Amino acid sequence: MTNGYRCSRVLLLLIAAVPLSGCLSRSRPVTLHTNTAQLKTATANDLIEQVNAEATKIQTLKATVGITASVGGGKLGKITEYQEISGYILARKPSSLRMIGLFPILQNQVFDLVSSGRQFKLWIPSKNQFVAGNDDIARPSMQPLGNLRPQVIYDALLLQAVDPQNELAVMEEGEHVIDTGTQRLALQPDYTLNIIKQNGHAWSLSRKVVFDRADLRPHQQLLYDEHGSIVTEVRYDEYREFDGLFFPTNIQIWRPQEEYSIKLEVMELTINEPVRDDQFVLEVPSGAGLASR
């Protein structure tokens, strides 16, 4: 006990003997600032009403987009980025979607993806392969396009209304880091709407919608599985007005479990034009190899 006490005293004396301005420590400035832009305020009910109103206003959409994709991360040990292609997206509530990717110059199809609900169909002309299956991914594919599902795109494009019968929404205040464009980072206050869903007798976190307090528009959405893991992260930026409604023209989708990301740059958008049922029909091309997923 005596030896331990003497050792402690010696250690304290050594620490005290080091000058505070000595070479064993240094300081550097922190360049993170608080954004001083005028902030808007809202209650949880305000945000719920806003989400539900936007979900009601948009029933169909047709978009011309630029599509950029990348695959990989820590699991694969590398990231592969793909050339930007152009494309078209057609969506209709409650769950129908069609997405066509085209090469930039020749406009030949890269893929044709369609879904009218729980099942999807995917046509990849370059591989002469037609894939059909459920939107749920049981076993992730090693092929980049093999993990692409219409429901992921649909959920990113169209925010779902909060269901008062089966969901609860709780608001929290927070802040996120933004790039001010002047080589400085700033903290931007936000609101997060945590939406909890009832599954039988249990409740679980279903999704989070983050609203930037500069404009009170959704700038991020996080979707969770039943185990509480993030399955999709979506970021929304560069809102523009289309047909009297504001819609993000920069949409970035990240799927952490399958390690792929998709960026959609909306160039043209038409909202609530009539859409026919046959526009969501994709037949197996003659001679195509058929695979199930």
Side-chain angles (χ1 to χ4, degrees):
M1 180 68 71
T2 302
N3 290 337
Y5 174 72
R6 288 175 179 173
C7 290
S8 299
R9 289 190 61 188
V10 171
L11 181 60
L12 290 172
L13 289 173
L14 287 174
I15 294 175
V18 177
L20 294 178
S21 59
C23 61
L24 294 182
S25 64
R26 63 176 182 174
S27 301
R28 58 185 177 85
V30 177
T31 57
L32 191 62
H33 304 273
T34 300
N35 192 2
T36 57
Q38 186 173 1
L39 303 178
K40 296 184 178 182
T41 60
T43 65
N45 286 335
D46 293 335
L47 298 179
I48 294 171
E49 290 177 1
Q50 179 178 331
V51 169
N52 291 355
E54 294 298 323
T56 302
K57 289 177 183 177
I58 302 178
Q59 296 300 313
T60 70
L61 65 80
K62 300 177 183 178
T64 301
V65 297
I67 306 169
T68 307
S70 67
V71 177
K75 297 176 184 177
L76 289 179
K78 64 177 182 179
I79 297 177
T80 302
E81 297 179 344
Y82 293 88
Q83 177 186 2
E84 181 179 356
I85 62 175
S86 59
Y88 300 100
I89 295 178
L90 183 65
R92 182 182 66 184
K93 290 188 174 179
S95 57
S96 298
L97 182 134
R98 187 164 195 170
M99 182 175 179
I100 298 174
L102 304 171
F103 286 110
I105 299 177
L106 299 178
Q107 295 293 290
N108 295 332
Q109 280 192 7
V110 180
F111 65 85
D112 192 345
L113 180 68
V114 67
S115 172
S116 294
R118 297 180 179 178
Q119 295 186 326
F120 77 96
K121 295 178 181 178
L122 171 64
W123 164 233
I124 309 175
S126 63
K127 297 180 178 295
N128 193 32
Q129 187 176 34
F130 191 91
V131 183
N134 297 326
D135 271 318
D136 295 333
I137 300 177
R139 294 191 304 273
S141 170
M142 295 302 294
Q143 298 298 323
L145 288 177
N147 290 320
L148 187 61
R149 295 294 183 270
Q151 196 62 39
V152 174
I153 307 296
Y154 182 93
D155 289 339
L157 287 172
L158 298 173
L159 286 177
Q160 299 299 298
V162 179
D163 180 3
Q165 301 298 322
N166 299 298
E167 292 181 327
L168 296 174
V170 180
M171 188 184 78
E172 64 174 317
E173 290 191 41
E175 52 191 12
H176 60 277
V177 178
I178 61 172
D179 187 348
T180 61
T182 58
Q183 297 184 341
R184 297 199 319 174
L185 300 179
L187 288 175
Q188 176 63 41
D190 58 40
Y191 290 129
T192 297
L193 204 59
N194 301 286
I195 301 172
I196 304 166
K197 187 175 183 178
Q198 185 176 24
N199 295 307
H201 297 290
W203 293 83
S204 62
L205 181 61
S206 174
R207 52 198 165 108
K208 292 185 177 184
V209 182
V210 181
F211 298 80
D212 194 316
R213 289 188 58 188
D215 54 18
L216 286 184
R217 296 193 181 106
H219 282 263
Q220 186 183 26
Q221 182 179 200
L222 301 169
L223 293 97
Y224 295 78
D225 63 16
E226 64 274 13
H227 305 295
S229 300
I230 297 175
V231 292
T232 306
E233 178 182 352
V234 191
R235 294 187 179 273
Y236 306 99
D237 288 300
E238 300 173 22
Y239 277 80
R240 282 172 47 197
E241 188 174 0
F242 298 93
D243 300 328
L245 296 174
F246 282 93
F247 195 87
T249 60
N250 186 321
I251 302 172
Q252 299 183 54
I253 305 168
W254 167 240
R255 294 278 290 181
Q257 297 183 18
E258 296 93 21
E259 289 195 324
Y260 74 80
S261 67
I262 299 173
K263 178 182 177 181
L264 302 176
E265 183 180 357
V266 179
M267 294 174 284
E268 297 179 11
L269 180 67
T270 304
I271 296 174
N272 292 336
E273 278 195 356
V275 177
R276 305 186 312 272
D277 290 343
D278 61 3
Q279 291 179 273
F280 298 101
V281 175
L282 180 60
E283 302 292 347
V284 182
S286 177
L290 183 62
S292 63
R293 187 75 68 206

